[in-house]
Amino acid sequence: MNADSTGTTQTHCPYCALQCGMGLRPEAGEPGGLRVVERTAFPVNRGALCGKGRTAPAVLSSRVRLTEPLIRRASGRLEPATWEEALDRVAEGLAGTRERHGADAVGVFGGGGLTNEKAYTLGKFARLVLNTSQIDYNGRFCMSSAAAAGTKAFGVDRGLPFPLADIPRTGCVILVGSNPADTMPPALRYFTELKENGGTLIVIDPRRTRTAEQADLHLAPRPGTDLALALGLLHLVVAEGRTDEEFIAARTSGWPEARAAAMAHWPELVERITGVPVPQLRRVVQMFCDADTSMVLTARGPEQQAKGTDTVGAWINLCLATGRAGRPLSGYGCLTGQGNGQGGREHGQKADQLPGYRMLADAAARAHVAGVWGVDPDSLPAPGRSAYELLDALGRDTPDGVRALLLMASNPVVSAPRAAHVEERMRSLDFLAVCDVVLSESALLADVVLPVTQWAEETGTMTNLEGRVLLRQQAAQPPAECRSDLVVMHELAARLGWDKGFPTDPEEIFEELRRASAGGKADYSGITYRRIREEDGVFWPCPETPAHRDGEASGDPSADHSAAPHPGTPRMFLDRFHTPDGRARFVPVTHRPAAEEPTGEYPVLLTTGRVLAQYQSGAQTRLVDELNKAAPGPFVQLHPQLAERLGAVEGEELAVISRRGRAVAPARISRDIRPDTVFMPFHWPGAGRANTVTNPALDPTSRMPEFKVCAVRVERVSAVTAEAGLSVQSAVSGADSAVTHAR
């Protein structure tokens, strides 16, 4: 264990990408046997925690978690089994599928909550033991569009290329499609402090969220039009002579093409597309450019679209054109959602990436990683399918179908778009094995369920949204029949012919990860467990310096100042961008409609998101009594104008229907949403499953599904469908002109 003299273990929250610092102290009578205590010295949250973090130990309780392996018996029911029987069954299922149908008939689907060590090992397991190209993870649904846009513009992406602590010190922040008041509450203080310091906050969201209530200016664009909005702002920057020509000339390339694309989006056109009045557009430009320093921060709103990469690229272009990138207290950043959404893809879960943010299609990258793994580079499989495409291929009786799946730390039955279809595909599998801490909706479909240890019962590193590599430390013993995912992969590898190469000690794995990442974009080679403990985390890239390596080898690293380790990189791009010539690249983009626009049959837009008391698919938070009391179930938020035309009242059951399916939940009538839009949270299964309705249309670059906008109709469940369909069509007429007067 890692407890101090008071019995407290310093660790981190298991939920979002803030990775808030917390202490855990054993205490009888507390849920999970642990009390959460403040860790005020940790710089990210300075002791603050949201309700999810405070109640996190409750999921450790044997009352709500998995405590023994389960196998689907001849009766069709999941029943208890021994570990040996369960592991043998998984190995047989994976190996048998591979023998009958080929290596790519076996798929692996991971999670953004896995530690770096687990993500690294899972990618290695898929490519070496299973020799399959079919691996991806639910982090594809998180920040892949921002990652693709950042890579195009800067040569690499890191959620925030600067620490959170820089936010209160800048002059203006444009927050696009993000609601940290509900999704990562301890981060809200950074925006509060920004305003206290005289800075301004602009929030762009079709809903007036709790975050938007704190803003100096709130813009409520029509869902799916964020790209047009960003281009319209850049048009005004050019027209008003607010570009930073010196910065553009010295540190960028591609400006003429990007400028020409933006100039096709004049303000009046953008107003018609977005519903945002021209005076508000001009006000944004004034506030952003009049400040000495400025930032744009995006989240899932603009990113979870079939044009998410271009949308983020347009916001990056705005930063570059105004000289608000690659300078202190200015720049573009992405507020990553999942706990290890950043590190989870950097080290091998993503279909096209190898450890260190190396690309699988790059021969030199393959050679480096293969050298660390001790295999022939040509033996590594090619890049595989993206997350939704992998899920869509499950159970298909075709040459390229995926017949068996190893699912780890993910619940796609609730979290994937077109979820009813994904559930059907999972039911069609020849074999499904699930590793999880709870019996999720996806685990209920499995042939074998393996109960694994949780955050407080194991040690491992996470990478938060700042690129800060952190250490979660074990604070409690797991139940006797729960094993680490690392042990599971070690045991499966041995059964499948790999006696070596899959250790179970996380620090040993991290040492190998360091070597595999060395020289890559996400270079962790200079980071050690010891450094993380001593420095409250280390920012990547952090290469190992030869002098420091030699100094440590001699046992006397302080003997020579040149042996000092690399300090890590809290702020990226201050000297150069991560492109071959060191210049940031403008990428010309133009607006295009959402994959689905409203029609007579589907005249309303649906957007989805989170609520304060639940997290992601809700598989864990829905097991916590306190959180369920705060957020007991799904709902449909709609504007009073739409409710009146439907004849709906507060709390009445409404059906939200798209081309893919139907979700039913109580009405929540509010002026905090546009009259042409409804909102549903996506944390629940069953009749209220929002993702039954959402659109799997994919961004051509990031392969991100279009979660954030689809065409629907809304019906009163108690009313005649035909009448409801007719009444709702009139509800959105003139909505764009009404939205600015509706509050």
Side-chain angles (χ1 to χ4, degrees):
M1 295 295 186
N2 305 283
D4 61 19
S5 59
T6 69
T8 301
T9 299
Q10 304 300 316
T11 189
H12 297 272
C13 175
Y15 291 115
C16 81
L18 282 180
Q19 285 298 286
C20 292
M22 61 164 61
L24 293 176
R25 182 182 303 158
E27 187 163 326
E30 288 291 320
L34 292 170
R35 173 179 288 278
V36 174
V37 297
E38 289 187 356
R39 186 179 169 186
T40 56
F42 186 67
V44 172
N45 60 309
R46 290 173 272 170
L49 291 168
C50 71
K52 295 185 289 292
R54 286 190 297 98
T55 61
V59 186
L60 298 169
S61 169
S62 296
R63 182 179 64 86
V64 299
R65 70 182 297 173
L66 288 165
T67 57
E68 57 187 347
L70 302 173
I71 285 182
R72 194 168 302 281
R73 304 292 187 182
S75 64
R77 294 190 298 270
L78 285 170
E79 298 178 2
T82 66
W83 267 99
E84 292 303 306
E85 182 184 11
L87 289 167
D88 286 347
R89 178 81 173 271
V90 175
E92 291 166 4
L94 300 178
T97 301
R98 184 176 60 186
E99 291 167 7
R100 289 189 298 273
H101 303 290
D104 277 357
V106 179
V108 176
F109 198 89
L114 294 177
T115 64
N116 288 316
E117 292 81 0
K118 292 180 181 181
Y120 172 84
T121 303
L122 187 61
K124 182 180 179 182
F125 179 87
R127 293 178 174 107
L128 296 192
V129 177
L130 301 177
N131 199 228
T132 181
S133 67
Q134 301 303 299
I135 174 173
D136 211 85
Y137 82 129
N138 62 17
R140 174 79 67 171
F141 301 154
C142 178
M143 58 174 291
S144 58
S145 293
T151 300
K152 284 185 176 184
F154 306 132
V156 66
D157 93 277
R158 195 178 78 185
L160 295 179
F162 41 76
L164 283 160
D166 284 0
I167 292 174
R169 300 166 57 208
T170 194
C172 177
V173 170
I174 301 178
L175 191 59
V176 190
S178 177
N179 180 21
D182 283 353
T183 59
M184 46 180 65
L188 192 63
R189 69 165 56 184
Y190 291 102
F191 301 100
T192 302
E193 291 171 3
L194 165 76
K195 296 184 65 178
E196 291 172 350
N197 292 339
T200 54
L201 175 63
I202 301 166
V203 172
I204 297 171
D205 198 306
R207 305 167 59 223
R208 187 169 179 81
T209 62
R210 293 198 306 133
T211 303
E213 289 174 355
Q214 307 300 314
D216 297 282
L217 178 63
H218 171 221
L219 276 60
R222 186 169 172 265
T225 64
D226 308 271
L227 176 52
L229 180 62
L231 288 164
L233 295 176
L234 184 52
H235 176 112
L236 286 171
V237 164
V238 175
E240 295 178 9
R242 291 177 174 270
T243 56
D244 187 332
E245 296 297 330
E246 182 179 349
F247 176 87
I248 291 170
R251 300 201 58 192
T252 73
S253 62
W255 171 232
E257 295 80 9
R259 179 179 56 201
M263 296 313 289
H265 299 78
W266 59 94
E268 292 75 17
L269 173 63
V270 170
E271 178 177 341
R272 288 200 298 273
I273 294 171
T274 65
V276 177
V278 172
Q280 285 194 352
L281 300 176
R282 295 189 185 278
R283 178 66 176 146
V284 172
V285 170
Q286 179 186 14
M287 295 168 71
F288 187 72
C289 294
D290 283 356
D292 291 336
T293 54
S294 304
M295 296 176 180
V296 172
L297 305 177
T298 68
R300 306 301 81 74
E303 297 164 18
Q304 287 182 327
Q305 298 185 31
K307 52 182 181 294
T309 301
D310 286 355
T311 300
V312 174
W315 289 105
I316 291 174
N317 286 348
L318 178 67
C319 292
L320 293 175
T322 53
R324 308 306 169 99
R327 288 177 170 172
L329 306 182
S330 286
Y332 164 78
C334 163
L335 296 176
T336 309
Q338 292 194 82
N340 202 27
Q342 184 77 45
R345 74 176 184 283
E346 289 169 1
H347 300 302
Q349 284 191 97
K350 201 156 171 271
D352 57 352
Q353 288 183 194
L354 288 169
Y357 218 139
R358 288 181 159 90
M359 303 310 294
L360 190 54
D362 178 6
R366 294 167 68 90
H368 174 85
V369 175
V372 174
W373 290 348
V375 299
D376 183 344
D378 292 337
S379 70
L380 298 180
R385 295 178 175 95
S386 70
Y388 179 77
E389 292 165 304
L390 174 56
L391 295 172
D392 185 49
L394 299 180
R396 295 197 180 277
D397 187 17
T398 59
D400 62 348
V402 175
R403 307 294 190 91
L405 182 70
L406 175 62
L407 179 67
M408 190 172 286
S410 185
N411 188 18
V413 165
V414 178
S415 64
R418 198 184 173 195
H421 170 73
V422 169
E423 180 177 349
E424 178 186 358
R425 299 270 34 96
M426 291 182 68
R427 290 182 183 276
S428 300
L429 283 163
D430 295 347
F431 180 78
L432 172 62
V434 174
C435 299
D436 212 330
V437 299
V438 298
L439 193 62
S440 70
E441 288 72 24
S442 299
L444 284 168
L445 306 181
D447 296 285
V448 180
V449 181
L450 301 176
V452 293
T453 52
Q454 296 188 49
W455 60 288
E457 300 163 345
E458 57 191 15
T459 294
T461 60
M462 306 285 282
T463 305
N464 82 343
L465 77 172
E466 307 166 296
R468 188 194 299 256
V469 184
L470 307 165
L471 185 63
R472 282 190 190 166
Q473 300 191 103
Q474 183 179 359
Q477 290 293 340
E481 289 300 305
C482 292
R483 299 184 183 180
S484 166
D485 296 290
L486 298 176
V487 172
V488 169
M489 287 184 279
H490 170 85
E491 294 287 344
L492 289 177
R495 283 166 169 79
L496 294 170
W498 289 76
D499 294 328
K500 297 180 180 179
F502 291 89
T504 60
D505 176 56
E507 188 165 7
E508 182 180 349
I509 295 169
F510 189 79
E511 289 300 306
E512 182 178 306
L513 183 157
R514 292 175 61 203
R515 299 195 304 275
S517 73
K521 292 178 180 179
D523 191 333
Y524 283 31
S525 61
I527 305 175
T528 63
Y529 275 30
R530 177 184 58 78
R531 284 194 64 183
I532 297 171
R533 288 189 180 101
E534 293 174 354
E535 301 175 30
D536 279 330
V538 182
F539 291 86
W540 73 262
C542 182
E544 182 178 48
T545 61
H548 181 238
R549 182 179 63 246
D550 295 343
E552 284 202 332
S554 72
D556 186 16
S558 61
D560 184 348
H561 181 70
S562 66
H566 188 284
T569 313
R571 296 170 181 85
M572 303 178 76
F573 312 139
L574 296 183
D575 299 318
R576 68 190 313 274
F577 295 97
H578 208 286
T579 56
D581 61 4
R583 291 172 172 264
R585 303 185 188 98
F586 282 97
V587 178
V589 295
T590 58
H591 175 70
R592 59 185 184 275
E596 284 185 351
E597 289 288 291
T599 65
E601 186 177 3
Y602 302 102
V604 178
L605 292 171
L606 168 70
T607 191
T608 64
R610 287 170 49 189
V611 296
L612 174 61
Q614 301 289 351
Y615 182 72
Q616 304 300 68
S617 76
Q620 295 181 54
T621 51
R622 284 187 275 112
L623 301 174
V624 180
D625 292 340
E626 179 180 329
L627 300 179
N628 280 331
K629 289 177 183 177
F635 58 86
V636 180
Q637 184 186 38
L638 71 164
H639 192 275
Q641 290 181 12
L642 179 54
E644 181 180 359
R645 287 169 172 80
L646 288 167
V649 297
E650 181 76 13
E652 179 181 1
E653 294 286 295
L654 297 179
V656 178
I657 303 165
S658 76
R659 293 171 175 86
R660 289 154 296 282
R662 180 176 187 262
V664 177
R668 185 172 294 181
I669 300 171
S670 171
R671 293 186 177 275
D672 293 337
I673 191 167
R674 291 175 55 97
D676 59 359
T677 301
V678 295
F679 167 84
M680 290 189 72
F682 55 71
H683 309 289
W684 288 273
R689 180 174 61 185
N691 277 321
T692 297
V693 182
T694 51
N695 191 353
L698 300 180
D699 180 290
T701 303
S702 68
R703 315 309 287 171
M704 168 73 83
E706 190 151 76
F707 288 100
K708 280 297 183 278
V709 53
C710 69
V712 300
R713 67 175 181 268
V714 183
E715 298 177 348
R716 297 173 61 205
V717 171
S718 60
V720 178
T721 299
E723 293 178 357
L726 287 172
S727 65
V728 76
Q729 290 180 34
S730 62
V732 298
S733 58
D736 281 337
S737 61
V739 69
T740 56
H741 307 292
R743 297 184 174 84

